[in-house]
Amino acid sequence: HALQIQEYRRPEFEVTARPESTGPYFVGTPATVAVDATYFAGGPLADAEVSWLVSTSRTTYRPPGWDDFQFGIWQPWWWFGEGGERAEIGIDGGWCVDCPPGGAVEYEELAGRTDAAGSHYLEFELGAAEIDLPSTVTAEATVLDVDRQAWASRTDLIVHPADAYVGLRSDRTFVEAGAPLRYDAVVTDLAAR
């Protein structure tokens, strides 16, 4: 394909999305994210349009120090295919056949304007899924200046269903019928070492 460049517009400002509230984040509690827009020449980009796209998808979480334990739903490496052979549980708790690797993704669009300091804050409550699994909330902010130039930035939050996780491990995956299979279990908090 041929591509002709008619005009090049230098970026005049930059945007940075960040979590405003401190984690860890739990379902049923509010979280705040922010975007800061500043001109490269100096000074804030005030009263500019901000469009937020917030997405939620299932994720995995393994507390530090427990690498040999499985947390959440274990999916064997050989479990994939066509025609519904692969089924994943989406964030809404329903079954999703042939969904993307993170399960079903939910989106919400919100809008606002930057304040005099060039910032915009977005607070939202982290909803609970029917199935207690961790999820990733991605907040992407696009800021549009008066020259209709748009720049975007994003930040991710891991949302935990509880402040403790249960992990399982076994010494093997396959056993003969009737053979004993030993499982070890651990209950740990988010920051365990």
Side-chain angles (χ1 to χ4, degrees):
H1 296 308
L3 187 65
Q4 288 186 342
I5 298 175
Q6 300 294 328
E7 178 185 12
Y8 173 74
R9 293 179 64 189
R10 254 185 16 195
E12 297 172 5
F13 65 98
E14 66 179 336
V15 296
T16 306
R18 60 183 166 78
E20 177 69 13
S21 54
T22 58
Y25 305 99
F26 297 99
V27 294
T29 61
T32 304
V33 293
V35 65
D36 301 315
T38 56
Y39 286 107
F40 284 120
L45 178 57
D47 197 35
E49 290 181 39
V50 180
S51 299
W52 288 95
L53 180 63
V54 180
S55 62
T56 306
S57 63
R58 187 186 75 187
T59 192
T60 58
Y61 179 78
R62 184 182 312 249
W66 299 103
D67 294 338
D68 52 344
F69 282 81
Q70 177 66 39
F71 295 85
I73 296 175
W74 179 70
Q75 182 172 334
W77 59 271
W78 66 88
W79 193 20
F80 65 96
E82 299 294 326
E85 293 174 7
R86 182 189 75 190
E88 298 180 6
I89 298 174
I91 195 68
D92 63 352
W95 286 91
C96 177
V97 178
D98 294 326
C99 285
V105 179
E106 296 179 3
Y107 296 95
E108 187 169 352
E109 294 182 34
L110 303 152
R113 298 191 80 79
T114 57
D115 60 15
S119 299
H120 185 262
Y121 300 89
L122 178 67
E123 181 178 274
F124 50 88
E125 186 166 310
L126 303 165
E130 292 179 25
I131 296 184
D132 294 331
L133 294 172
S135 58
T136 298
V137 173
T138 301
E140 180 174 325
T142 302
V143 179
L144 191 68
D145 73 349
V146 293
D147 294 332
R148 309 306 291 169
Q149 199 174 53
W151 293 101
S153 181
R154 63 193 285 175
T155 185
D156 295 324
L157 311 174
I158 295 180
V159 182
H160 302 280
D163 60 356
Y165 278 82
V166 175
L168 297 174
R169 76 173 171 196
S170 75
D171 54 353
R172 54 197 164 155
T173 308
F174 295 98
V175 293
E176 294 290 327
L181 178 62
R182 178 184 166 192
Y183 272 97
D184 296 322
V186 63
V187 177
T188 180
D189 63 8
L190 301 176
R193 301 264 178 233

